[in-house]
Structure formats: C-alpha cells, structure tokens
Amino acid sequence: MAENNKEKADIGLIGLAVMGQNLILNMNDNGFTVACFNRTVSKVDNFLNNEAKGTNILGAHSIEELVQMLKKPRRVMLLVQAGKAVDDFIQTLIPLLEQGDIIIDGGNSLYKDSVRRAEEIEKKGFLYIGTGVSGGEDGARHGPSLMPGGSEKAWESVKPIFQKIAAKADGQPCCDWVGPSGSGHFVKMVHNGIEYGDMQLICEVYNIMKD
C-alpha cells in the first residue's frame, strides 16, 4: 500500500459483486473516498482498471491493508453472501479494529443473525449496523433505499454517507435510522415480503385479464 493512502478513505467496502461495485461508484460520485477489497483479490484490480478507472476509489489486496486505509472511527461495510461469510469476515476484522470502529452488514442477512452479531460485537467494544439495501443494481448505482439499524452510537458516523447516496423522495433521503439490534434487516425482510406480494398480485391480475 502506498504510504499516502493511509487513513485516507471515508469508508471501506468488502465484496465486489455487482451491488458492491455499484454502491462504491455511487459513494465516489457523491464525494466520498472508498477503499475496496474482495476475497478473490484479482477482482480488486479488475474493478480499478475498468469500472472504477479515473475515480478516487482505492484498492486493497488484504483486509489489513483495507483497515489501514480508513479514517477513524473506521467504517467497514460488508456486501457478501449472507450467513457464514459475514461471520468469517467479522472475525477477521475484529483483531484489526479499535474500540468504537463500525462494522456494517449490507447483505440480506436474517434479522436474528443481526441481533446476535450486534450483541457479540458491542460486548467487545465495537459498533454494528445491519442495513437493508433496496433497489437492485440500478438503485445501488444511482440511489438505493437504506434501512440501517443496530448500535445507535454508530448512526452519526454513517448518516452523512448513507443519506447522501440514498434515493430522494420529495427532497428527503430514503434512509433513516430504524432502531436497535436487528431492526434494519427485519424492516428489509418485511419490505421484501410486501414487494414480492405486489409482484404476485400483478402476475395473477395479468393472468386473469389475459385468459
């Protein structure tokens, strides 16, 4: 890592699938410096040489390097597969972080897992946010709906980033603090249930009218 990249990034993001890449590009467009990492490290270089070319996005080739790039309190967002991968990354991060640093899970985690993680992480002196991210690839790139919940002390540190990158309705950001523990992912679960119910209704009405 170049020495001049130390403590330069506003937020770190782990996971360079389409959602992760688009969210990083959105943050960059809104004036935030983002450091990124991916378990398959070649994806970092591919991203920097293609979609992120000409931006201020920083690439890390290890978790240690990513953490060194972050301003304090450090904000690290995970956009990885729900379940074991989230727990594995949390366990890798914790020895590298300092008290008051923030871990954000932006995947589709089960809210009960977020309740457990919030409790475990807070006991160790760190802060945890589980946030729903809605809007798919296009939303991530141009303005998602965000549903953060967890350690309330963490909200003031992530609020400027989240509300700036979120979609806007009547000039207001589609993002606000929803509550403690696993509430962010609980709201996302309810949100998805309503969305899929709407889709089912549209399909059934279409089928009745067509046939």
Side-chain angles (χ1 to χ4, degrees):
M1 179 187 69
E3 190 66 26
N4 61 0
N5 283 340
K6 267 193 140 179
E7 297 187 21
K8 188 175 180 181
D10 299 300
I11 189 168
L13 196 143
I14 297 171
L16 288 176
V18 175
M19 285 292 286
Q21 289 189 21
N22 283 343
L23 210 58
I24 290 168
L25 291 167
N26 181 356
M27 290 175 182
N28 176 80
D29 288 349
N30 279 286
F32 300 106
T33 302
V34 188
C36 65
F37 173 75
N38 194 79
R39 188 153 37 188
T40 307
V41 179
S42 59
K43 272 197 168 186
V44 175
D45 295 323
N46 290 341
F47 180 51
L48 292 180
N49 292 327
N50 292 284
E51 295 86 354
K53 195 170 185 178
T55 68
N56 294 321
I57 295 163
L58 306 173
H61 294 96
S62 68
I63 298 279
E64 291 82 359
E65 189 180 4
L66 179 84
V67 169
Q68 287 171 22
M69 289 177 171
L70 301 176
K71 295 173 186 173
K72 298 174 184 175
R74 300 178 184 93
R75 294 164 282 207
V76 185
M77 187 167 186
L78 304 172
L79 268 171
V80 299
Q81 188 173 4
K84 186 175 183 296
V86 177
D87 286 315
D88 288 348
F89 271 117
I90 288 171
Q91 293 312 311
T92 305
L93 279 165
I94 278 175
L96 306 172
L97 299 177
E98 295 175 11
Q99 303 278 296
D101 287 348
I102 302 158
I103 298 172
I104 306 158
D105 176 14
N108 269 323
S109 288
L110 178 66
Y111 76 94
K112 291 179 182 177
D113 286 341
S114 297
V115 171
R116 169 179 57 79
R117 288 171 186 142
E119 190 176 327
E120 290 171 358
I121 287 169
E122 286 175 357
K123 275 181 186 171
K124 293 174 180 172
F126 307 104
L127 302 174
Y128 175 80
I129 290 175
T131 184
V133 180
S134 183
E137 297 171 21
D138 190 63
R141 183 68 186 86
H142 302 291
S145 171
L146 297 167
M147 301 151 243
S151 309
E152 195 147 7
K153 283 183 185 173
W155 176 229
E156 289 307 313
S157 291
V158 300
K159 182 179 180 179
I161 300 176
F162 275 21
Q163 292 199 334
K164 191 90 183 280
I165 67 168
K168 306 295 185 294
D170 299 324
Q172 296 299 311
C174 299
C175 169
D176 211 341
W177 190 250
V178 297
S181 196
S183 55
H185 282 131
F186 184 86
V187 170
K188 180 61 166 35
M189 179 184 70
V190 174
H191 165 102
N192 282 350
I194 294 167
E195 180 182 351
Y196 302 152
D198 283 347
M199 290 163 70
Q200 181 71 21
L201 280 169
I202 291 165
C203 292
E204 290 187 17
V205 170
Y206 174 84
N207 184 58
I208 290 166
M209 293 175 74
K210 178 174 172 285
D211 296 330

